[in-house]
Amino acid sequence: MSLAQERNLRLVRADETAGPHVRLGDIRLRNRLVTSSSILGYGVANSKLIPYGMSPVSQFVPLDRFGAITTRTVTVEPREGHFTTRDVWPLRELPGLLKRYGRALQRVDGGWLNAFGWCNVGIDSYLRDYYPRTRGQNTIISVGGFSTEEFTTLVDKINNAVPAGDIAAVEFNVSCHNVNFDFNAIIESVLAEAVPRSNHPVILKLSPDYDYLQHARLAARHGVSALTAINTVKGLRLDPETGNPLLANGFGGLSGRAIKPVGLRVVSELRDAGVTLPIIATGGIRSFDDCREYFWAGADAVSLGSAGWFASYPGYALSPLYALRIRALLRRIENYRPPRR
């Protein structure tokens, strides 16, 4: 029996005792609304006494209500990236946090431009210190690396720490622009070598700035279970007074309402090209109507990104109101059945 067959058998057995859920191939979601990578850190809600670090929205929306929570992208070793590995900041350090945020995240017309650069605590720390605290949630672990060896190491570490069926999937982030690396050079070998090793279903995250049709076909060929479409769109903003980039990295990833037409185009083109893998769509989703547009375009599930977190710090005071909107969206998605294609 192959590793993939063994994995599927374990998932079927785990599924026999599962409650209500949605199936995307061999991926089990609690409903069709998940969260995007990085938006909710490692999936651990803040202490109510410490208001900064994790999204305040997580204090007012039960994270176990989502179809799955996708973690921040984790790497083999800890990375400061263009921000920090810290995820909790006491109030007295708020000015320093704001300064860091200003060089990694900027509001732009119709959305947000960010370049956090895979800042994370590393896979060992995540599995030891964060994952055990999220057992009540359904989790998608996002992983990133700069070589095939790094991806196989990440898969092996997750296999050793997480029994098959305990998480929804592992998402391969082989498309981030904020780490200044050309993933085209490694994507085929990553899929060929790392996917078969995984005891968990694998999702490939696609970028609209790469050849996403070709990458989707590679994913299908090498046993990937589903696609995330899309990653952020590479963008640039300059200070109109100095001409200097607003972000420390120069270029950043554009998210929010501005990229919704791009996300819809990519999902539709994937389906028009004959791609049959399940698609988790993300990009500019905020309302139920946004979700329905993506379902009509061919998506099987949708992912809530910057609408669930990014806000000005004064705007964080409105987190309870944002949370009411997200709760309402969850209720509608839990009972929604997408149109048959």
Side-chain angles (χ1 to χ4, degrees):
M1 183 181 295
S2 68
L3 285 175
Q5 289 172 324
E6 290 179 2
R7 180 190 72 190
N8 291 338
L9 180 59
R10 287 192 292 269
L11 290 169
V12 168
R13 288 172 177 168
D15 193 46
E16 291 173 351
T17 59
H21 60 265
V22 170
R23 271 285 187 187
L24 304 187
D26 56 355
I27 297 172
R28 189 176 71 245
L29 302 177
R30 293 180 178 177
N31 55 67
R32 297 182 188 272
L33 181 64
V34 306
T35 67
S36 300
S37 175
S38 294
I39 296 303
L40 293 176
Y42 307 105
V44 178
N46 277 353
S47 163
K48 296 186 184 303
L49 299 178
I50 304 176
Y52 299 103
M54 179 69 146
S55 167
V57 169
S58 66
Q59 298 178 15
F60 306 104
V61 179
L63 300 187
D64 58 7
R65 286 277 306 278
F66 286 96
I69 300 294
T70 306
T71 69
R72 173 175 296 164
T73 297
V74 291
T75 52
V76 174
E77 300 294 337
R79 277 179 57 90
E80 287 287 326
H82 310 302
F83 187 51
T84 178
T85 59
R86 294 175 59 182
D87 65 343
V88 172
W89 291 69
L91 188 60
R92 67 180 181 277
E93 296 186 38
L94 177 59
L97 175 61
L98 291 175
K99 184 176 181 180
R100 286 173 178 261
Y101 260 123
R103 298 297 287 152
L105 175 69
Q106 287 282 335
R107 187 156 201 163
V108 296
D109 298 337
W112 297 86
L113 196 64
N114 84 85
F116 289 104
W118 282 357
C119 55
N120 75 98
V121 297
I123 187 65
D124 292 328
S125 179
Y126 165 73
L127 292 171
R128 181 185 65 246
D129 301 329
Y130 294 89
Y131 172 70
R133 299 157 62 191
T134 63
R135 294 292 179 83
Q137 301 162 195
N138 197 24
T139 299
I140 297 171
I141 301 177
S142 175
V143 297
F146 302 100
S147 68
T148 300
E149 292 73 22
E150 289 186 15
F151 275 93
T152 57
T153 297
L154 289 160
V155 164
D156 290 344
K157 286 179 178 289
I158 294 171
N159 286 346
N160 291 334
V162 182
D166 278 17
I167 60 173
V170 177
E171 181 182 79
F172 283 14
N173 186 350
V174 199
S175 56
C176 178
H177 293 294
N178 300 333
V179 293
N180 305 317
F181 181 80
D182 182 8
F183 291 101
N184 284 304
I186 66 167
I187 186 168
E188 185 162 14
S189 63
V190 165
L191 297 179
E193 297 187 33
V195 173
R197 298 172 75 105
S198 179
N199 291 341
H200 308 278
V202 173
I203 301 169
L204 178 64
K205 191 168 190 177
L206 299 175
S207 167
D209 297 312
Y210 287 131
D211 187 346
Y212 48 87
L213 293 178
Q214 175 63 14
H215 290 181
R217 295 185 182 106
L218 286 174
R221 186 184 313 158
H222 291 293
V224 167
S225 297
L227 305 168
T228 296
I230 54 177
N231 209 329
T232 55
V233 178
K234 189 175 184 180
L236 173 68
R237 281 297 302 272
L238 304 176
D239 185 323
E241 299 296 329
T242 66
N244 296 324
L246 293 179
L247 300 182
N249 187 54
F251 296 106
L254 179 65
S255 64
R257 307 292 287 176
I259 70 167
K260 179 183 164 188
V262 179
L264 285 165
R265 184 206 78 207
V266 170
V267 171
S268 182
E269 287 182 345
L270 288 167
R271 292 306 185 208
D272 289 346
V275 174
T276 59
L277 287 174
I279 296 175
I280 301 171
T282 182
I285 292 172
R286 184 171 57 180
S287 68
F288 182 66
D289 285 344
D290 296 329
C291 297
R292 287 197 298 183
E293 282 191 72
Y294 273 108
F295 289 134
W296 284 326
D300 300 277
V302 290
S303 184
L304 193 67
S306 54
W309 177 44
F310 291 166
S312 64
Y313 264 87
Y316 275 10
L318 301 177
S319 290
L321 297 181
Y322 297 155
L324 287 175
R325 186 182 70 212
I326 294 172
R327 283 173 176 265
L329 178 57
L330 271 166
R331 284 194 297 272
R332 297 195 70 176
I333 290 294
E334 284 172 340
N335 299 311
Y336 182 71
R337 298 292 180 270
R340 292 180 179 272
R341 290 190 296 276

